[in-house]
Amino acid sequence: GAPVSDRGDWSVRAALTAGDFTSWTLLGEYQARADRTHAFRTGASYSAQVPADSTDAAPLAALPMARRAGGVYWFDRWMIDRRVELDYGGRVDRYDYLADPNLVSGTLGARVALAPRVTLAASAAPHMVAPGADQFLPPAEAGTWLPPERTFSALDAGGALQPERVDRYDLVLETRLARDDALDAPVVRVGRFMEATADQMATLFGLDDRSAAEH
């Protein structure tokens, strides 16, 4: 990666591993500087997990021969003025091993300064989560990013994998107890949120040999 003048930074991250599964990941991203009017972040990622051509992969024959996931995203924090700030963005992902491979997620929020030390914030964030997404998506923070390592399937043998949908809505009122803008000034927040989940996922470990999962 490298800076782009004083506007932002671009970076490219990739990883590759071999074994029972050959896996690789690739991410390209651009992050604008936090002091810009539009402090946006955009990028694209692609990951793949392919069984090796060997007898070692025989116990996993019931699984799809390959899994691939890719997506693009754009998120922006728009400082309209000193009192009003908007957060918005979204991402579109495709997981080829899902019954419905295309997932769309988004977020929309606003922060409004009601008084010098009082702020009202509201947000809405419909979010789609694919089974095994943590294997294919880049981590939220910078650091080591491992290619897809684990195998996974539906508990019901031959069952289709479905995404989880989480819709969250927040309303928060916050006040800063100090008269200055120091980062360590105490802040009191009072809020309310609503979250609804459909097709919630669960992960089971330690299944015996009689289970239909086969791995």
Side-chain angles (χ1 to χ4, degrees):
V4 180
S5 182
D6 61 346
R7 298 177 178 272
D9 301 271
W10 66 267
S11 63
V12 175
R13 301 164 63 189
L16 174 68
T17 189
D20 291 344
F21 281 81
T22 298
S23 304
W24 60 275
T25 56
L26 177 66
L27 167 69
E29 188 175 56
Y30 177 82
Q31 173 78 59
R33 298 290 167 81
D35 59 354
R36 308 293 297 181
T37 301
H38 285 276
F40 67 90
R41 177 170 59 93
T42 184
S45 64
Y46 187 85
S47 303
Q49 184 184 58
V50 182
D53 186 14
S54 70
T55 56
D56 294 338
L60 306 176
L63 300 180
M65 289 304 296
R67 283 173 168 161
R68 298 178 175 85
V72 295
Y73 56 88
W74 169 285
F75 295 98
D76 186 22
R77 189 216 64 207
W78 180 15
M79 296 289 294
I80 298 177
D81 56 36
R82 297 185 62 181
R83 298 184 57 186
V84 181
E85 174 184 324
L86 290 181
D87 287 287
Y88 57 95
R91 61 178 302 129
V92 178
D93 297 285
R94 180 178 176 83
Y95 296 84
D96 67 354
Y97 56 85
L98 298 183
D100 184 1
N102 301 314
L103 306 184
V104 179
S105 302
T107 182
L108 176 62
R111 290 174 57 87
V112 180
L114 304 179
R117 290 182 289 162
V118 180
T119 302
L120 180 66
S123 65
H127 186 54
M128 301 290 288
V129 184
D134 55 335
Q135 292 289 303
F136 294 95
L137 294 177
E141 302 295 335
T144 303
W145 181 20
L146 297 177
E149 293 184 303
R150 299 184 181 90
T151 59
F152 53 91
S153 62
L155 183 61
D156 181 13
L161 290 171
Q162 302 286 348
E164 172 183 297
R165 180 183 177 92
V166 181
D167 296 332
R168 183 181 175 99
Y169 305 91
D170 291 85
L171 184 65
V172 178
L173 184 68
E174 64 180 43
T175 179
R176 187 175 297 273
L177 301 183
R179 293 184 176 277
D180 52 30
D181 294 329
L183 296 179
D184 58 350
V187 176
V188 176
R189 294 184 175 93
V190 178
R192 180 179 177 86
F193 75 90
M194 182 181 71
E195 186 174 275
T197 303
D199 298 317
Q200 187 172 24
M201 293 182 295
T203 303
L204 302 182
F205 298 91
L207 299 177
D208 57 34
D209 294 336
R210 293 173 297 175
S211 69
E214 299 188 12
H215 69 103

